[in-house]
mmCIF file of all heavy atoms in Angstrom:
data_model
loop_
_atom_site.group_PDB
_atom_site.id
_atom_site.type_symbol
_atom_site.label_atom_id
_atom_site.label_comp_id
_atom_site.label_asym_id
_atom_site.label_seq_id
_atom_site.Cartn_x
_atom_site.Cartn_y
_atom_site.Cartn_z
ATOM 1 N N GLY A 153 -5.177 -13.454 -10.905
ATOM 2 C CA GLY A 153 -5.246 -12.120 -10.055
ATOM 3 C C GLY A 153 -5.136 -10.983 -10.937
ATOM 4 O O GLY A 153 -5.653 -9.966 -10.589
ATOM 5 N N ALA A 154 -4.345 -11.016 -12.009
ATOM 6 C CA ALA A 154 -4.069 -9.839 -12.807
ATOM 7 C C ALA A 154 -5.445 -9.513 -13.614
ATOM 8 O O ALA A 154 -5.740 -8.315 -13.730
ATOM 9 C CB ALA A 154 -2.985 -10.079 -13.859
ATOM 10 N N ILE A 155 -6.195 -10.447 -14.095
ATOM 11 C CA ILE A 155 -7.444 -10.214 -14.766
ATOM 12 C C ILE A 155 -8.375 -9.714 -13.828
ATOM 13 O O ILE A 155 -9.178 -8.754 -14.114
ATOM 14 C CB ILE A 155 -8.034 -11.523 -15.337
ATOM 15 C CG1 ILE A 155 -7.127 -12.032 -16.580
ATOM 16 C CG2 ILE A 155 -9.451 -11.399 -15.771
ATOM 17 C CD1 ILE A 155 -7.386 -13.428 -16.935
ATOM 18 N N PHE A 156 -8.423 -10.114 -12.515
ATOM 19 C CA PHE A 156 -9.275 -9.638 -11.539
ATOM 20 C C PHE A 156 -9.008 -8.123 -11.227
ATOM 21 O O PHE A 156 -9.898 -7.305 -10.939
ATOM 22 C CB PHE A 156 -9.286 -10.387 -10.174
ATOM 23 C CG PHE A 156 -10.291 -10.136 -9.210
ATOM 24 C CD1 PHE A 156 -11.575 -10.417 -9.323
ATOM 25 C CD2 PHE A 156 -9.752 -9.347 -8.017
ATOM 26 C CE1 PHE A 156 -12.500 -10.060 -8.324
ATOM 27 C CE2 PHE A 156 -10.756 -9.064 -7.056
ATOM 28 C CZ PHE A 156 -12.036 -9.374 -7.184
ATOM 29 N N ALA A 157 -7.653 -7.843 -11.217
ATOM 30 C CA ALA A 157 -7.265 -6.512 -10.994
ATOM 31 C C ALA A 157 -7.700 -5.563 -12.052
ATOM 32 O O ALA A 157 -8.082 -4.339 -11.744
ATOM 33 C CB ALA A 157 -5.693 -6.392 -10.896
ATOM 34 N N ILE A 158 -7.718 -6.021 -13.344
ATOM 35 C CA ILE A 158 -8.175 -5.119 -14.434
ATOM 36 C C ILE A 158 -9.695 -4.902 -14.203
ATOM 37 O O ILE A 158 -10.143 -3.762 -14.334
ATOM 38 C CB ILE A 158 -7.954 -5.810 -15.772
ATOM 39 C CG1 ILE A 158 -6.387 -5.821 -15.961
ATOM 40 C CG2 ILE A 158 -8.649 -4.990 -16.859
ATOM 41 C CD1 ILE A 158 -5.937 -6.611 -17.295
ATOM 42 N N ILE A 159 -10.433 -6.006 -13.920
ATOM 43 C CA ILE A 159 -11.921 -5.881 -13.831
ATOM 44 C C ILE A 159 -12.264 -4.942 -12.702
ATOM 45 O O ILE A 159 -13.175 -4.076 -12.767
ATOM 46 C CB ILE A 159 -12.528 -7.317 -13.660
ATOM 47 C CG1 ILE A 159 -12.360 -8.174 -14.820
ATOM 48 C CG2 ILE A 159 -13.947 -7.150 -13.150
ATOM 49 C CD1 ILE A 159 -12.712 -9.584 -14.673
ATOM 50 N N THR A 160 -11.645 -5.175 -11.590
ATOM 51 C CA THR A 160 -11.990 -4.289 -10.359
ATOM 52 C C THR A 160 -11.525 -2.898 -10.549
ATOM 53 O O THR A 160 -12.144 -1.905 -9.936
ATOM 54 C CB THR A 160 -11.415 -4.844 -9.029
ATOM 55 O OG1 THR A 160 -10.039 -5.087 -9.201
ATOM 56 C CG2 THR A 160 -12.128 -6.252 -8.635
ATOM 57 N N THR A 161 -10.406 -2.667 -11.283
ATOM 58 C CA THR A 161 -9.918 -1.231 -11.418
ATOM 59 C C THR A 161 -10.922 -0.568 -12.334
ATOM 60 O O THR A 161 -11.224 0.642 -12.088
ATOM 61 C CB THR A 161 -8.554 -1.286 -12.141
ATOM 62 O OG1 THR A 161 -7.653 -1.903 -11.221
ATOM 63 C CG2 THR A 161 -8.019 0.090 -12.421
ATOM 64 N N VAL A 162 -11.390 -1.157 -13.385
ATOM 65 C CA VAL A 162 -12.421 -0.629 -14.316
ATOM 66 C C VAL A 162 -13.622 -0.352 -13.519
ATOM 67 O O VAL A 162 -14.288 0.685 -13.535
ATOM 68 C CB VAL A 162 -12.722 -1.482 -15.530
ATOM 69 C CG1 VAL A 162 -13.879 -0.877 -16.367
ATOM 70 C CG2 VAL A 162 -11.431 -1.532 -16.359
ATOM 71 N N GLY A 163 -14.072 -1.427 -12.663
ATOM 72 C CA GLY A 163 -15.264 -1.247 -11.887
ATOM 73 C C GLY A 163 -15.207 -0.134 -10.908
ATOM 74 O O GLY A 163 -16.277 0.475 -10.538
ATOM 75 N N LYS A 164 -14.061 0.127 -10.175
ATOM 76 C CA LYS A 164 -14.072 1.127 -9.150
ATOM 77 C C LYS A 164 -14.129 2.468 -9.782
ATOM 78 O O LYS A 164 -14.411 3.437 -8.985
ATOM 79 C CB LYS A 164 -12.754 0.922 -8.342
ATOM 80 C CG LYS A 164 -11.510 1.323 -9.055
ATOM 81 C CD LYS A 164 -10.270 1.180 -8.084
ATOM 82 C CE LYS A 164 -10.162 -0.185 -7.508
ATOM 83 N NZ LYS A 164 -9.055 -0.293 -6.581
#
Side-chain angles (χ1 to χ4, degrees):
I155 291 170
F156 187 72
I158 294 174
I159 294 171
T160 53
T161 299
V162 172
K164 73 176 56 184

